[in-house]
Structure formats: C-alpha cells, structure tokens
C-alpha cells in the first residue's frame, strides 16, 4: 500500500474506491491527469461494490420513483412474512419525505445516463481487451409471477422452473462481478501511474484559492480538484461546503451458492421482489431486498432467509441441498428518483458523483465520462443540469 504522507495528491484526488470512484480515477488517468484515489477501507470495492447482484442493466434499468416504492411497499404489506422490505418505525417520516421529493423526468434522465454508460462500458473493454473475460454473460431474464396458468418462454436456462408467470429477455443487459472489475481497473490505474491510498479516511475537505485541501487519517493532502465518490459518506464531506445531499440509505443483502462447474451461465431478475440471481464465477449470487433507513451492514439472518426463499422459488433443483456462503449486507445511497448526482460544487473545485443507488455498477462508466468531461472542460454529452447536485449552479463548468 502506498503511504499517505506526501502532500501533493496531483491534479485530481478522488475520494472513494468503489466502482464509481475507480472508474472515474481510471478514466481521468487515461486522459493524462495525475490522479490519487483514496479509500477508508483496506481494499478496493470494499463497501457497496463488494458483493452486489452483478447485473449491468443497460436494457432493463428503471428508476425507483416514490410511486414505485410506495406500490412495492403496499404489496409487501399484503405479503406479510414474505415481504422483501423492512422499515423500522423511526425512519418512516424520513423515508416518506425522501420518497416524495420531486425529481422531474427522472426516468428520462436515468435512461440517458444508462445509454451513455453502455457506450462507455464498451469503450473500457475496447481500450483494454483484457477486461473482456470479466463480463461473464449477456442478457438478463426478467421474471414476473402471476396467478394464471404457466406462461414461460422458450430459451429459459434449464435450472429455472417457471410454473406461473412469464419471462422477458433483456438482450442488452450483461453481467459480471463488480468487485473483480473494480479490482482490475484499479490494477491498471496503479500500473499506469495512478496513486492508490487504501485505509486512509478523509475527515474534512476544504476549498482553497488554488485547489483543495483534505484532512485525512494519513495526513493532509492537496490537489487541484477533488471528486467525491464516497456514497453515503459524501454527506459528511460536502455538508460543511454548504451542499446538502438528500441521500437516503437503503440497505441490501446478498449471499452466494457454490455451483458445480457445468451449471449454465444465466442472470435472472425477480422484478416484484427486487432480487437478482446471477451466475458469477463459481457461484450463484442472490442479491437485493430493501431495508429502508438501515446502514449497519449487518447481514440479518431473516433477510437472508428471504433471499433463500426467492432462490428456492426459481431454482429449486439448483439450490436444493446447497448451503449459501458469504452472507453480506451493504447500503445503497439512494438519490431521489434513483438518478445520481453528478456535477460540480464549491466554486467548481469539487465534483460530486454519488447517489447511484441500485444501479452503480451499471452507471459507473457513464458517470466517469461525465465527470472527466466536466474536469476536462469539454462539452457535456448530457445536459449537466439534469444531474446537478442541489444548490450547485445549474450546469456549472469548472
Ligand atoms: C444487494 C445489492 C445488490 C446490488 N445489485 C446491483 C446490480 O446488480 N447492478 C447494479 O448496477 N448495481 C447494483 N447494486 C448497486 C451498486 O452496488 C452500488 O450502486 C454501487 O456499488 C455504488 O458504488 P459507489 O462506488 O458509489 O459506492 P461504494 O462502492 O460504496 O464506494 C464508496 C467508497 O467510499 C469510501 N468512503 C466513504 N467515505 C469515505 C471517506 N470519508 N474517506 C475515504 N473513503 C471513504 C467507502 O469506504 C467506499 O469504499 C446493488 C447494491 C446492493 C446493496
């Protein structure tokens, strides 16, 4: 690990080495900037990018609008013990306020960013064919249960048992292990001269006339500009600069079933329960659920049991007799409407890239392009005002 005692952190210092921060740092490095990437955790992708569902939802991505969440919530009430969400009474007012916060044209804004992300993800692969094997498959089956007779679809992978419902194939989606991809990008970042500081927490961020000053657990760092890609942690860093980000924590859970070699590759999405089932590496990742307001990263057994129930529903033969491993919980930093904040604040010295919620793996490459264009003072590919953090000058350029 590099040491955090040097004071000059280069042209840009990126806070947060999750998939979003790593993609930004590597994109900036490829464009010739001197970049330092800092994370409080001891490894890259140690937080929400660690064991997520692995789906690149370039075709199937949708917003989690207040209305959608409300209907999901109500359906869960009817389902009782089987419901896919949890909310503790103390957070209900905050959750309601957040869910009702308007974000006009959220769907359109999200789709534009998803399209850009698909292009930019392909660009990462085209620039570096060694990344190709990390995309483990293409196409996601969205499964919908209904009360009628068997629907189904020819072409469903053999382990999926679809007795009541239908399946829609999203050919434009892909899947791969987000953590492994982040590690691969970080390796390239370091090999190309980028500086990676792990186990270094940023305590405070100040804007000075000539750049930014960061107080960290490893000493003071100075850089020309800072990018804050630290998920929920961004609120504490940007609050003192007058930026109040309305991010809401929604914890999710995952577990992984070991799979024998010949198990086919496939990816499923149970839209109604907000759970994905993805063949990754030598396992089956089952991930999702919504724990509103929770951020303690504790893999609660009864939430994990709900994931197991979804796995048994769709893949009874595959998971029968198999014990899941690697229980995991982590918090999604949700922005209103599910559209992340990407834009400059604090007199243009700081760029914010947070609020990727349930889609950070999908949106990382496009977010990196927006941030790099912003810092490089190139014309934006998407209207910056559509992603501007609250309180920032609309569409502000550096
Ligand atoms: C159960 C689950 C399943 C999911 N499935 C999918 C999926 O299938 N497809 C998809 O696209 N998305 C999925 N997501 C969402 C996706 O995982 C997140 O949107 C994404 O990981 C967010 O990446 P990030 O880089 O913004 O945040 P993170 O990965 O959380 O990274 C932020 C980093 O900032 C660091 N940090 C915070 N504060 C500081 C500080 N003060 N100083 C230094 N470092 C700091 C943290 O240590 C952390 O490493 C899922 C999420 C969950 C919870």
């Amino acid at each position: 690990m590099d040491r955090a005692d040097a004071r000059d952190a280069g042209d840009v210092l990126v806070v947060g080495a999750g998939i979003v921060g790593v993609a930004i740092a590597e994109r900036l490095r490829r464009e010739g900037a001197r970049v330092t990437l800092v994370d409080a955790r001891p490894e890259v992708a140690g937080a929400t990018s660690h064991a997520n569902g692995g789906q690149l939802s370039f075709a199937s991505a949708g917003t989690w609008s207040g209305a959608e969440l409300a209907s999901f919530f109500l359906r869960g009430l009817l389902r009782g013990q089987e419901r896919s969400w949890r909310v503790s009474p103390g957070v209900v007012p905050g959750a309601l306020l957040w869910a009702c916060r308007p974000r006009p044209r959220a769907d359109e804004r999200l789709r534009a960013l998803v399209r850009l992300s698909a292009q930019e993800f392909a660009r990462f692969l085209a620039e570096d064919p060694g990344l190709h094997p990390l995309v483990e498959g293409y196409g996601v089956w969205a499964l919908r249960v209904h009360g009628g007779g068997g629907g189904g679809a020819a072409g469903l992978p053999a382990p999926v048992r679809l007795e009541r419902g239908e399946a829609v194939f999203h050919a434009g989606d892909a899947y791969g292990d987000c953590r492994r991809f982040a590690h691969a990008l970080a390796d390239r970042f370091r090999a190309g001269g980028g500086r990676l500081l792990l186990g270094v927490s940023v305590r405070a961020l100040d804007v000075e006339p000539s750049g930014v000053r960061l107080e960290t657990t490893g000493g003071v760092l100075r850089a020309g500009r800072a990018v804050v890609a630290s998920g929920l942690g961004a609120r504490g860093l940007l609050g003192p600069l007058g930026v109040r980000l309305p991010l809401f924590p929604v914890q999710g859970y995952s577990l992984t079933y070991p799979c024998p070699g010949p198990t086919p590759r496939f990816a499923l999405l149970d839209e109604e329960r907000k759970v994905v089932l993805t063949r990754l590496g030598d396992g089956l990742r089952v991930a999702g659920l919504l724990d509103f307001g929770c951020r303690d990263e504790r893999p609660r057994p009864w939430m994990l049991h709900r994931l197991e129930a979804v796995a048994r529903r769709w893949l009874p033969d595959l998971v029968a007799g198999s014990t899941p491993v690697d229980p995991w919980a982590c918090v999604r930093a949700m922005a209103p409407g599910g559209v992340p904040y990407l834009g400059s604040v604090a007199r243009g010295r700081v760029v914010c890239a947070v609020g990727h919620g349930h889609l950070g793996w999908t949106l990382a490459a496009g977010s990196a392009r927006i941030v790099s264009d912003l810092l490089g003072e190139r014309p934006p590919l998407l209207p910056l005002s559509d992603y501007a953090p609250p309180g920032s000058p609309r569409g502000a350029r550096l």
Side-chain angles (χ1 to χ4, degrees), residues 6-390:
R7 299 172 73 83
D8 174 17
D11 303 322
V12 185
L13 187 143
V14 180
V15 185
I19 188 63
V20 174
V22 172
I24 291 170
E26 175 58 358
R27 176 55 59 219
L28 291 171
R29 184 203 65 79
R30 289 184 188 193
E31 283 165 7
R34 287 185 308 129
V35 186
T36 299
L37 175 60
V38 180
D39 201 291
R41 306 215 180 200
E43 73 151 322
V44 164
T48 318
S49 308
H50 190 78
N52 66 20
Q55 299 196 355
L56 290 155
S57 311
F58 297 136
S60 62
T63 53
W64 284 1
S65 64
E68 198 198 341
L69 287 176
S71 109
F72 176 71
F73 193 79
L74 289 173
R75 274 183 278 135
L77 282 180
L78 298 177
R79 206 176 273 137
Q81 287 309 305
E82 250 196 69
R83 65 174 184 258
S84 305
W85 53 260
R86 191 186 81 108
V87 58
S88 35
V91 303
V92 171
L96 284 176
L97 275 177
W98 169 80
C100 295
R101 209 179 155 107
R103 196 84 187 267
R105 298 170 28 250
D107 207 48
E108 187 188 322
R109 293 173 191 204
L110 184 77
R111 280 186 197 291
L113 184 58
V114 169
R115 276 194 299 275
L116 177 65
S117 297
Q119 286 165 24
E120 288 298 310
F121 187 80
R123 185 169 156 223
F124 266 124
L125 301 186
E127 288 169 350
D128 184 347
L131 293 171
H132 270 279
L134 298 177
V135 180
E136 299 190 34
Y138 291 88
V140 168
W141 290 95
L143 306 169
R144 289 172 200 150
V145 186
H146 54 65
L156 266 178
V160 187
R161 191 185 288 173
L162 196 61
E163 282 162 0
R164 283 169 180 268
E166 58 186 11
V168 176
F169 189 60
H170 295 284
D173 284 357
Y175 51 96
D177 190 321
C178 175
R179 173 177 171 269
R180 282 186 67 208
F181 197 89
H183 277 249
L185 278 191
D187 289 347
R188 281 139 175 95
F189 172 75
R190 293 183 79 166
R195 188 149 181 245
L196 177 62
L197 304 177
L198 294 173
V200 174
S201 182
V202 178
R203 288 181 176 141
L205 168 57
D206 289 318
V207 176
E208 297 180 329
S210 59
V212 291
R213 178 184 183 278
L214 292 98
E215 227 177 278
T216 80
T217 48
V220 171
L221 296 170
R222 284 196 161 83
R225 286 155 185 173
V227 176
V228 176
S230 53
L232 212 58
R235 293 186 306 191
L237 289 180
L238 296 177
L241 299 177
V243 182
R244 308 258 176 268
L245 292 171
L247 298 176
F248 190 76
V250 180
Q251 189 155 289
Y253 298 81
S254 82
L255 45 80
T256 306
Y257 286 90
C259 280
T263 310
R265 302 251 145 217
F266 60 88
L268 310 175
L269 161 66
D270 181 334
E271 288 184 326
E272 214 184 326
R273 290 177 179 74
K274 307 238 178 282
V275 171
V276 298
L277 305 101
T278 315
R279 272 286 281 113
L280 292 175
D282 52 6
L284 169 77
R285 176 77 46 79
V286 186
L289 307 179
L290 277 65
D291 199 342
F292 291 97
C294 186
R295 47 180 303 186
D296 60 11
E297 300 186 3
R298 273 180 41 217
R300 289 182 171 69
W302 42 282
M303 290 302 257
L304 298 171
H305 290 155
R306 289 177 194 176
L307 288 179
E308 289 176 50
V310 177
R312 278 195 303 272
R313 168 182 288 269
W314 297 115
L315 304 163
D317 307 328
L318 185 66
V319 303
S322 174
T323 308
V325 294
D326 298 333
W328 174 81
C330 214
V331 63
R332 309 171 183 91
M334 294 292 306
V339 183
Y341 291 119
L342 302 162
S344 55
V345 298
R347 304 198 299 278
R349 288 270 165 214
V350 179
V351 173
C352 155
V354 294
H356 292 74
H358 62 304
L359 286 171
W361 172 213
T362 305
L363 299 176
S367 303
R369 175 66 189 263
I370 292 197
V371 171
S372 71
D373 282 350
L374 196 56
L375 289 166
E377 300 189 35
R378 289 183 292 275
L381 290 175
L382 300 178
L384 291 180
S385 54
D386 281 356
Y387 307 93

